[in-house]
Amino acid sequence: MRNICITRSNKKLNKNLPYYSSELVKLFEFDTKNSIYKTYYSMNKTIDTFILNSSLLNAETLDFIKQFDGNIKFILYKDEDIDIPMPESVYVILDPKIQNKKPEDIQLPKHIINDKIYNEENIQETKLYDMVCFLDNQATIPQQLNELLYPNTSLKIRLFNGSGLQHYQNLGEINENERKEILLESKTLLYINPDYICEAMMCGCSVADISSDNPDIVFNNINNPIMPENLEFTTYAKIIEDFIL
Amino acid sequence: MINKDLGFVIPSLINNEECNAICELINGLVENNKKYQFCIFNQYNELPDTRLVPLMPISHAKYFDGDLLTFDFPSLVMAINFPLTRNINYLTNSAPWSMSYNRYSSWKNIFSKQNLRIFTNSKEISEVYNIAWNIKAKIIKEINHESIYQILS
């Protein structure tokens, strides 16, 4: 039995890994706002691996790494390009969007899906709504998206996970299971970053890139959404097997 | 024609302008439709005279099998959970999910009910319900007992 603790965060990797707890590997989420020491000792020192996000590292976590380096496996998930000196034994895995790669760092594939949720058995489309956009990790509604929302237009766009963003079309917080239900119910996924293109493909959703600053390009993409096909992807099960265990 | 049983969910009737206006509206509705049965489901009442409409405890609403009319969001949340209600009519001028960030599943549980009908006098709110929930909220120009009778008919 391996006990793995992963930082609680809204990043896609952090939200999906805990679905892979099994009899052999237990994955727990922990909050860096609480003491990492407290987490470690409250579990009777049985944690084998910590997966830590670079964006959420604090002084206490860095002290903990120094103290337990060699006894516990540390994996630094670089979700933001922050240069923090780390002991050599710390494994570094990079988010696909991070360009600054050292030879020993492992870059995650661009498309990773949660095959516990997205598998052939539980995919049944019922398209009730037009468009959906996920606002995970966005502090504000991006300008190019705002142009598409009420009252600027009456396009039927539903927004999710825009934590604390007040807008008529922001319908609240969802988990990964609910995200799948929403993709199954929606015709088109509007995206600013391509995190969920593969999931959209599996749920029969067309996709439209709205990241451009040029409104003409954005409107053109919305009017001509693409049906993603044959995207290569890997699964979180494989990521755990290859990089974490 | 209104369903012969119409209930109003008003948990708290306070002696203020808003509640008095609601009671006036209900009384107008009752006076003009004497063949039908009306009641208010209520938990607290400080109005001296609700005149024509009997007050019943909210807990009794679980036995009620007519239509309900609610005037605010907390009342709607209660009404959603009554098991026998036919149609739930919600008179509103707001989009509650945009004011209080919450889990989508909570909002979906309310706004995806097949027997929910929304009425508003704001074109903006009507459009917003259509965009967000595919609900065609009916617009009523003026809120009075005649317009309420029309929408419930």
Side-chain angles (χ1 to χ4, degrees):
Chain A
M1 163 73 81
R2 301 274 308 262
N3 286 331
I4 300 174
C5 255
I6 179 163
T7 319
R8 180 171 292 127
S9 153
N10 278 334
K11 296 287 153 74
K12 190 180 172 190
L13 181 83
N14 299 63
K15 285 202 283 192
N16 281 287
L17 285 184
Y19 282 85
Y20 286 85
S21 269
S22 66
E23 285 178 6
L24 297 175
V25 182
K26 285 266 181 242
L27 282 139
F28 304 92
E29 285 180 282
F30 85 103
D31 202 329
T32 45
K33 283 176 197 159
N34 297 329
S35 165
I36 189 169
Y37 284 94
K38 194 173 157 190
T39 307
Y40 181 63
Y41 286 111
S42 66
M43 292 187 65
N44 293 329
K45 302 189 260 183
T46 56
I47 297 168
D48 305 295
T49 307
F50 272 100
I51 304 171
L52 304 162
N53 289 41
S54 62
S55 61
L56 294 170
L57 285 180
N58 55 26
E60 190 190 30
T61 313
L62 293 172
D63 280 346
F64 185 85
I65 294 172
K66 273 183 205 159
Q67 190 179 338
F68 289 95
D69 181 29
N71 298 328
I72 299 173
K73 182 176 176 181
F74 290 102
I75 298 170
L76 180 69
Y77 167 43
K78 269 204 176 181
D79 53 345
E80 276 172 29
D81 198 359
I82 307 165
D83 199 20
I84 304 160
M86 282 284 160
E88 279 187 7
S89 59
V90 174
Y91 294 83
V92 178
I93 53 176
L94 299 179
D95 193 88
K97 71 171 185 281
I98 306 283
Q99 304 291 329
N100 191 8
K101 184 177 183 282
K102 290 179 192 157
E104 64 275 17
D105 295 346
I106 299 158
Q107 188 120 35
L108 289 172
K110 202 171 167 189
H111 300 302
I112 315 172
I113 65 152
N114 183 336
D115 58 340
K116 298 258 181 193
I117 297 174
Y118 298 90
N119 56 52
E120 303 262 319
E121 287 163 19
N122 57 14
I123 301 280
Q124 272 190 321
E125 294 173 38
T126 43
K127 302 295 185 196
L128 302 171
Y129 300 100
D130 284 356
M131 288 176 261
V132 59
C133 184
F134 301 124
L135 294 174
D136 300 65
N137 303 303
Q138 300 280 350
T140 56
I141 296 176
Q143 184 54 32
Q144 60 270 46
L145 174 60
N146 204 30
E147 298 291 325
L148 305 171
L149 300 179
Y150 190 85
N152 299 321
T153 74
S154 290
L155 291 170
K156 286 191 171 182
I157 301 171
R158 304 181 349 131
L159 309 175
F160 296 95
N161 280 353
S163 181
L165 301 177
Q166 281 203 341
H167 195 280
Y168 285 140
Q169 282 156 272
N170 184 13
L171 304 186
E173 200 76 33
I174 52 168
N175 62 29
E176 295 305 298
N177 280 312
E178 288 164 342
R179 193 189 305 270
K180 186 194 80 184
E181 299 301 325
I182 288 160
L183 284 172
L184 287 170
E185 287 175 352
S186 306
K187 291 174 190 159
T188 307
L189 168 72
L190 309 184
Y191 67 89
I192 295 152
N193 62 52
D195 279 355
Y196 289 96
I197 288 185
C198 258
E199 287 81 350
M201 176 180 76
M202 298 191 83
C203 293
C205 251
S206 56
V207 297
D209 184 355
I210 55 161
S211 59
S212 170
D213 291 333
N214 184 338
D216 292 339
I217 294 174
V218 170
F219 274 101
N220 184 48
N221 288 348
I222 288 179
N223 291 329
N224 304 294
I226 301 162
M227 192 59 87
E229 279 175 13
N230 303 326
L231 290 177
E232 281 190 18
F233 60 83
T234 186
T235 65
Y236 285 101
K238 190 96 173 64
I239 296 294
I240 293 173
E241 203 180 300
D242 291 351
F243 306 132
I244 293 172
L245 292 182
Chain B
M1 183 188 297
I2 297 182
N3 181 318
K4 63 182 179 181
D5 294 327
L6 179 65
F8 305 92
V9 183
I10 313 171
S12 179
L13 277 169
I14 305 163
N15 198 359
N16 64 12
E17 204 177 316
E18 191 187 348
C19 287
N20 280 309
I22 289 173
C23 277
E24 273 309 306
L25 189 143
I26 292 171
N27 285 330
L29 207 55
V30 175
E31 277 169 357
N32 289 287
N33 297 281
K34 294 218 165 127
K35 277 195 262 177
Y36 306 112
Q37 299 182 67
F38 298 87
C39 73
I40 296 174
F41 294 104
N42 170 266
Q43 209 63 19
Y44 174 78
N45 175 31
E46 61 182 41
L47 292 186
D49 181 16
T50 53
R51 292 190 289 176
L52 306 167
V53 194
L55 292 179
M56 297 185 75
I58 282 181
S59 57
H60 283 44
K62 64 185 170 202
Y63 307 112
F64 182 73
D65 67 352
D67 285 6
L68 285 176
L69 180 60
T70 61
F71 299 94
D72 60 13
F73 186 66
S75 310
L76 173 66
V77 174
M78 279 184 217
I80 287 290
N81 295 311
F82 299 152
L84 302 175
T85 314
R86 288 186 194 171
N87 290 312
I88 300 165
N89 303 289
Y90 176 40
L91 202 59
T92 184
N93 265 336
S94 68
W97 65 90
S98 67
M99 293 180 281
S100 154
Y101 191 71
N102 208 331
R103 289 209 62 81
Y104 168 65
S105 52
S106 314
W107 301 118
K108 189 185 176 191
N109 189 33
I110 296 165
F111 293 110
S112 64
K113 290 278 181 199
Q114 293 297 311
N115 60 348
L116 176 66
R117 302 191 303 183
I118 293 169
F119 304 97
T120 177
N121 62 2
S122 155
K123 192 169 174 261
E124 180 186 0
I125 292 296
S126 170
E127 211 165 343
V128 164
Y129 273 90
N130 190 24
I131 290 171
W133 301 102
N134 267 356
I135 296 176
K136 299 217 178 326
K138 280 188 189 164
I139 298 175
I140 43 175
K141 283 181 184 161
E142 200 181 343
I143 297 173
N144 55 38
H145 69 85
E146 281 159 359
S147 61
I148 297 289
Y149 179 81
Q150 288 294 324
I151 61 170
L152 296 178
S153 299

